[in-house]
Amino acid sequence: MRLNFNIEGGDFTKAGSASSQVKKTLKQINVSPTIIKRVVVALYEAEVNIVAHAFRGNISVDIEPEQVHVQLTDEGPGIPDIDRAMQKGFSTASPKVREMGFGAGMGLSNIRDNVDTFKITSEVNKGTTLDMTVLISDNQ
Ligand SMILES: Nc1ncnc2c1ncn2[C@@H]1O[C@H](COP(=O)(O)OP(=O)(O)OP(=O)(O)O)[C@@H](O)[C@H]1O
Ligand SMILES: [Mg+2]
């Protein structure tokens, strides 16, 4: 099953809508709560990053029997130094974004901690792509 979402940069009213839709779908097909939580936490952080830092983006979620694969692509400023962006506490969030309660610089490391595979690529002045997979196994 594949779900697809378009994300508008700056629109915090809809931030979280993709992750709640995915949560609903995973519940319906009886994926375990532990796995659902990991997918939803990672997707929520990645979704908010597009809203907070990029102009617009697309999220594609592939739900397969053994794994959930998510790809997020955005058009935006890109990330000049990914290693630095991954560090806990690093943030370039604007004052407006901080007012909304974001900008702790924890999102990317939180994503990495919740997924089984994680790959981020970015081109400055073009955009960012994030690929991540959460494995669904019987013993979780
Ligand atoms: N999609 C993106 N486009 C451009 N820059 C990004 C994107 N995602 C992350 N970044 C950059 O990486 C930094 C770290 O991201 P991270 O999600 O860890 O923290 P944050 O979004 O600043 O704060 P938090 O997620 O804790 O609310 C961001 O401040 C921003 O500079
Ligand atoms: Mg973030």
Side-chain angles (χ1 to χ4, degrees):
M1 182 186 343
R2 179 172 289 181
L3 303 173
N4 212 82
F5 306 91
N6 288 316
I7 306 293
E8 216 35 63
D11 187 357
F12 280 93
T13 62
K14 293 200 199 100
S17 60
S19 44
S20 48
Q21 183 57 53
V22 169
K23 183 181 189 176
K24 218 192 267 175
T25 304
L26 293 175
K27 265 189 188 167
Q28 277 164 1
I29 60 169
N30 288 318
V31 172
S32 81
T34 320
I35 297 293
I36 293 178
K37 196 170 161 213
R38 289 172 54 205
V39 172
V40 169
V41 166
L43 180 53
Y44 177 75
E45 291 290 357
E47 186 182 357
V48 171
N49 276 354
I50 295 179
V51 177
H53 306 297
F55 308 143
R56 66 191 66 82
N58 182 267
I59 302 177
S60 164
V61 183
D62 258 308
I63 303 170
E64 293 164 20
E66 280 94 35
Q67 62 177 39
V68 180
H69 173 246
V70 184
Q71 185 178 59
L72 302 98
T73 55
D74 71 52
E75 292 168 38
I79 304 175
D81 185 341
I82 289 175
D83 286 343
R84 193 156 177 236
M86 292 296 307
Q87 281 169 21
K88 289 182 181 168
F90 176 84
S91 178
T92 61
S94 66
K96 187 184 155 249
V97 168
R98 288 174 196 271
E99 257 173 45
M100 310 282 302
F102 303 102
M106 294 303 290
L108 288 175
S109 55
N110 204 7
I111 295 170
R112 190 181 44 193
D113 291 347
N114 275 286
V115 298
D116 294 298
T117 74
F118 174 90
K119 189 175 162 219
I120 185 166
T121 55
S122 192
E123 206 175 318
V124 171
N125 292 327
K126 215 156 173 216
T128 301
T129 298
L130 176 58
D131 261 290
M132 56 197 190
T133 308
V134 174
L135 300 177
I136 302 173
S137 64
D138 291 337
N139 57 4
Q140 309 232 19

